[in-house]
């Protein structure tokens, strides 16, 4: 599940970053018995309305990628479910034309 989470979020970051755009960054830090991971892109970003409905149960938010790639928004639903199954949380920070950061936590493995 962890691999699926990372793969989906990194693929989305690539999809919404213009060709020859800034590099995607991935960072991790300990946070109260958890690891907080951030996947940051500097691509097209999203509006507040789109961001607010990303993880909704009935509405699937999906924007065309920078090369007009289509998506269903279902990948993010799976990501959210996988993160929650691990006892973590996920949120998104985004601004139009500045990029997006998906931040999630999972327990630190022993």
């Amino acid at each position: 599940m962890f691999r699926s989470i990372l793969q989906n979020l990194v693929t989305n970051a690539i999809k919404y970053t213009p060709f020859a755009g800034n590099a995607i960054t991935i960072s991790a830090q300990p946070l109260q018995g958890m690891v907080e991971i951030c996947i940051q892109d500097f691509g097209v970003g999203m509006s507040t309305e789109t961001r607010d409905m990303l993880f909704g149960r009935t509405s699937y938010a999906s924007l065309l990628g920078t090369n007009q790639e289509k998506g269903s928004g279902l990948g993010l639903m799976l990501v959210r479910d996988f993160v929650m199954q691990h006892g973590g949380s996920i949120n998104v920070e985004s601004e139009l034309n500045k990029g997006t950061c998906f931040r999630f936590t999972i327990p630190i493995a022993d």
Side-chain angles (χ1 to χ4, degrees), residues 37-79:
I37 299 170
C38 173
I39 315 290
Q40 171 78 52
D41 71 59
F42 301 93
V44 298
M46 62 184 96
S47 69
T48 302
E49 295 78 21
T50 299
R51 188 186 70 230
D52 289 347
M53 64 183 211
L54 275 183
F55 297 111
R57 283 275 179 205
T58 56
S59 297
Y60 299 113
S62 184
L63 302 172
L64 290 177
T66 55
N67 288 318
Q68 304 306 304
E69 308 95 330
K70 292 182 181 180
S72 65
L74 294 174
L76 287 177
M77 298 298 293
L78 288 174
V79 165

Side-chain angles (χ1 to χ4, degrees), residues 8-107:
N8 186 284
L9 293 177
V10 169
T11 299
N12 281 353
I14 292 167
K15 181 171 155 180
Y16 294 106
T17 298
F19 181 73
N22 290 336
I24 293 162
T25 62
I26 302 171
S27 61
Q29 65 181 15
L31 181 70
Q32 302 171 352
M34 307 286 268
V35 174
E36 180 184 73
I37 299 170
C38 173
I39 315 290
Q40 171 78 52
D41 71 59
F42 301 93
V44 298
M46 62 184 96
S47 69
T48 302
E49 295 78 21
T50 299
R51 188 186 70 230
D52 289 347
M53 64 183 211
L54 275 183
F55 297 111
R57 283 275 179 205
T58 56
S59 297
Y60 299 113
S62 184
L63 302 172
L64 290 177
T66 55
N67 288 318
Q68 304 306 304
E69 308 95 330
K70 292 182 181 180
S72 65
L74 294 174
L76 287 177
M77 298 298 293
L78 288 174
V79 165
R80 184 199 63 190
D81 289 348
F82 287 171
V83 167
M84 291 177 69
Q85 286 180 35
H86 279 76
S89 62
I90 186 166
N91 65 60
V92 61
E93 301 159 9
S94 187
E95 192 173 337
L96 277 174
N97 301 313
K98 292 193 176 179
T100 301
C101 175
F102 279 91
R103 212 178 283 281
F104 69 95
T105 59
I106 57 169

